[in-house]
């Protein structure tokens, strides 16, 4: 007897994630809201609190988390029956940028899906309390792959009070609330400049948890490239509060 | 141990999930030239994993040449005609799609090309009984 052909990579993803307690994809359908900075700082802040943390840059065609962290791309990650994510600032960090460098990586949809499958199939995360995932803007392949390939996840949606962002994020929340059950979707306001309630109200509209505001930090770009400088930034103070709330909300 | 072991685990998990009760299997695997998987290591790793689960495994490996086709001008060419450095080949070995970071269409210079065939690891057939 015989069975039809198939992609073996999908079969092993469950094994690769078996030691990961909580998966937190950082999402926003709108670009420029600070997903990457927030993802990196959140991973560092959770690590500071003693959690075992991984960070996966899933912005496949335009990875930049390595720039934020100042990760060394000069050598490939080590191999031990798979790819072992290097430690950066106490966080296990994985990115396609280790292989594409700073070159353009123009990909069509199914090619992006292939990258996600490949990375998930060969990355050895080991035991983690949190896997934070930085995702690209839009509701495209990477976001859909997260929803499909991760058996459990707690999306952290990032928004600013701009009317354009609110309109965009509303679409993402509509999608997420259809597929993620159990009160695991959370919303955070980034680059907050005033006491606007737009994002808190958006959370109320979709019955998702509002984790709080991260104030606009005009100096944060100076911290990019150094985990020590990131940890000393004003933005980090607020992200630490978000991390504390996430730690307390163990599902 | 190199990352072929991780790919062998993926194939093994595919077999376990597809035919959970089989004790003897024959797995036919297509290996795309682009990923340049080491056949000897993959076969060794797969047999070791299957043996540890008490499964006798015959492995058949089929190499597939990599064919690329430009989406802009339609030109089709073979990977083996391209010149790639050792570091680039290793990067592609881990994530085959990064070929777009290092190769362009030899006719029009576009990076918008398709890997028509010969990408990576694919299970062609699992036979048992």
């Amino acid at each position: 007897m015989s069975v039809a052909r198939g992609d073996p990579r999908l079969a092993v993803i469950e094994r690769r994630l078996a030691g990961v307690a909580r998966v937190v994809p950082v999402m926003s359908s709108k670009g420029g809201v600070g997903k990457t900075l927030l993802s990196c700082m959140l991973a560092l802040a959770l690590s500071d609190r003693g959690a075992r943390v991984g960070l996966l840059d899933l912005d496949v065609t335009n990875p930049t988390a390595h720039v934020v962290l100042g990760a060394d791309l000069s050598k490939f990650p080590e191999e031990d029956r798979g790819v072992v994510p290097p430690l950066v600032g106490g966080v296990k960090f994985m990115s396609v940028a280790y292989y594409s460098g700073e070159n353009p990586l123009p990909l069509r949809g199914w090619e992006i899906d292939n990258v996600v499958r490949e990375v998930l199939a060969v990355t050895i995360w080991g035991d983690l309390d949190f896997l934070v995932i930085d995702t690209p803007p839009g509701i495209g392949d990477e976001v859909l792959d997260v929803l499909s390939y991760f058996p459990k996840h707690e999306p952290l949606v990032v928004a600013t009070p701009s009317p354009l962002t609110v309109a965009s994020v509303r679409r993402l929340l509509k999608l997420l609330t259809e597929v993620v059950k159990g009160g695991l979707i959370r919303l955070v306001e980034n680059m907050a400049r005033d006491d606007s309630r737009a994002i808190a109200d958006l959370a109320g509209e979709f019955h998702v948890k509002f984790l709080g505001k991260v104030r606009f930090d005009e100096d944060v770009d100076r911290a990019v490239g150094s985990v020590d400088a990131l940890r000393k930034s004003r933005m980090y103070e607020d992200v630490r509060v978000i991390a504390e709330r996430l730690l307390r909300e163990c599902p | 141990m190199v990352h072929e072991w991780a790919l062998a685990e993926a194939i093994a998990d595919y077999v376990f999930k597809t035919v959970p009760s089989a004790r003897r299997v024959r797995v036919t695997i297509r290996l795309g030239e682009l990923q340049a998987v080491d056949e000897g290591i993959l076969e060794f790793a797969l047999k070791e994993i299957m043996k540890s689960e008490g499964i006798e495994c015959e492995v058949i490996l089929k190499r597939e040449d990599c064919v690329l086709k430009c989406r802009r001008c339609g030109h089709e060419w073979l990977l083996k005609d391209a010149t790639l450095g050792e570091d680039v080949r290793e990067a592609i070995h881990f994530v085959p799609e990064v070929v777009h970071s290092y190769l362009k269409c030899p006719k029009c210079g576009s990076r918008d090309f398709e890997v028509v065939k010969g990408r990576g690891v694919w299970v062609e057939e699992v036979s048992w009984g």
Side-chain angles (χ1 to χ4, degrees):
Chain A
M1 295 173 73
S2 67
V3 293
R5 59 180 59 187
D7 185 345
R9 295 170 300 173
L10 294 177
V12 82
I13 291 175
E14 190 180 333
R15 180 200 290 252
R16 297 288 176 250
L17 298 173
V20 179
R22 298 175 68 182
V23 176
V24 181
V26 177
M27 296 177 165
S28 183
S29 38
K30 194 80 178 87
V33 299
K35 283 185 297 297
T36 302
L37 269 170
L38 200 88
S39 302
C40 293
M41 288 195 189
L42 181 64
L44 293 171
L46 290 166
S47 172
D48 288 350
R49 290 285 285 108
R52 296 163 299 176
V53 184
L55 173 64
L56 172 61
D57 188 344
L58 216 53
D59 192 343
V60 170
T61 60
N62 194 31
T64 49
H66 64 283
V67 178
V68 174
L69 295 173
D72 178 13
L73 299 186
S74 66
K75 53 189 177 188
F76 298 130
E78 289 184 8
E79 297 171 68
D80 185 6
R81 299 192 174 194
V83 174
V84 182
L87 270 180
V88 182
V91 171
K92 290 182 180 178
F93 175 60
M94 185 61 183
S95 168
V96 72
Y98 286 121
Y99 308 105
S100 61
E102 298 300 354
N103 299 298
L105 183 52
L107 299 175
R108 302 279 181 166
W110 70 93
E111 294 167 326
I112 293 171
D113 183 35
N114 253 326
V115 173
V116 175
R117 290 182 184 200
E118 199 73 36
V119 168
L120 293 182
V122 302
T123 305
I124 310 296
W125 292 106
D127 292 332
L128 293 179
D129 297 305
F130 286 93
L131 176 59
V132 178
I133 305 173
D134 182 28
T135 65
I139 308 178
D141 294 273
E142 294 94 332
V143 169
L144 295 175
D145 279 351
V146 166
L147 299 178
S148 296
Y149 298 153
F150 288 83
K152 50 185 180 179
H153 44 258
E154 306 169 46
L156 182 63
V157 178
V158 185
T160 66
S162 145
L164 296 181
T165 303
V166 170
S168 170
V169 166
R170 186 174 272 121
R171 293 192 196 105
L172 176 62
L173 287 169
K174 274 183 190 169
L175 173 77
L176 291 176
T177 50
E178 287 168 5
V179 295
V180 181
K181 303 299 178 192
L184 296 177
I185 304 166
R186 301 181 181 93
L187 192 56
V188 64
E189 179 177 338
N190 194 25
M191 296 192 247
R193 292 172 185 269
D194 52 35
D195 57 358
S196 162
R197 285 202 43 84
I199 305 306
D201 290 345
L202 189 62
E205 181 184 331
F206 284 91
H207 307 289
V208 301
K209 179 88 177 180
F210 181 58
L211 275 195
K213 292 178 181 236
V214 176
R215 290 168 296 166
F216 179 72
D217 180 355
E218 60 191 13
D219 295 322
V220 76
D221 279 350
R222 290 184 201 154
V224 165
S226 161
V227 290
D228 291 337
L230 290 170
R231 283 179 160 125
K232 289 174 187 161
S233 68
R234 198 180 73 185
M235 180 176 171
Y236 195 68
E237 290 173 26
D238 293 351
V239 175
R240 276 199 315 218
V241 175
I242 302 294
E244 288 291 339
R245 288 175 181 158
L246 203 56
L247 278 163
R248 278 204 299 270
E249 292 199 358
C250 191
Chain B
M1 181 66 80
V2 289
H3 102 294
E4 271 84 352
W5 189 280
L7 298 172
E9 276 184 336
I11 297 166
D13 280 359
Y14 181 84
V15 173
F16 299 151
K17 287 177 179 176
T18 310
V19 285
S21 55
R23 306 324 294 168
R24 283 181 62 181
V25 295
R26 186 173 67 204
V27 187
T28 306
I29 302 159
R30 182 166 22 113
L31 296 177
E33 179 190 8
L34 183 62
Q35 191 160 27
V37 166
D38 186 307
E39 293 181 15
I41 296 173
L42 184 77
E43 183 171 353
F44 169 78
L46 182 55
K47 285 185 170 174
E48 284 295 304
I49 295 164
M50 297 304 247
K51 197 165 80 179
S52 71
E53 297 291 329
I55 298 170
E56 193 183 320
C57 180
E58 182 187 348
V59 180
I60 298 169
L61 300 175
K62 292 182 176 177
R63 276 279 176 193
E64 184 176 60
D65 287 346
C66 179
V67 178
L68 308 164
K69 184 177 182 181
C70 181
R71 293 184 174 284
R72 199 159 94 184
C73 73
H75 178 63
E76 204 168 283
W77 75 102
L78 299 174
L79 179 74
K80 57 170 62 89
D81 294 336
T83 307
L84 296 169
E86 201 51 45
D87 272 6
V88 169
R89 287 188 184 278
E90 196 172 348
I92 294 170
H93 170 62
F94 285 106
V95 182
E97 280 64 35
V98 302
V99 68
H100 293 269
S101 291
Y102 302 105
L103 265 193
K104 296 176 186 173
C105 169
K107 197 170 174 189
C108 75
S110 173
R111 292 180 195 262
D112 187 12
F113 57 84
E114 179 184 353
V115 179
V116 179
K117 63 176 189 168
R119 179 205 173 273
V121 177
W122 190 260
V123 175
E124 281 282 350
E125 189 179 45
V126 180
S127 307
W128 73 98

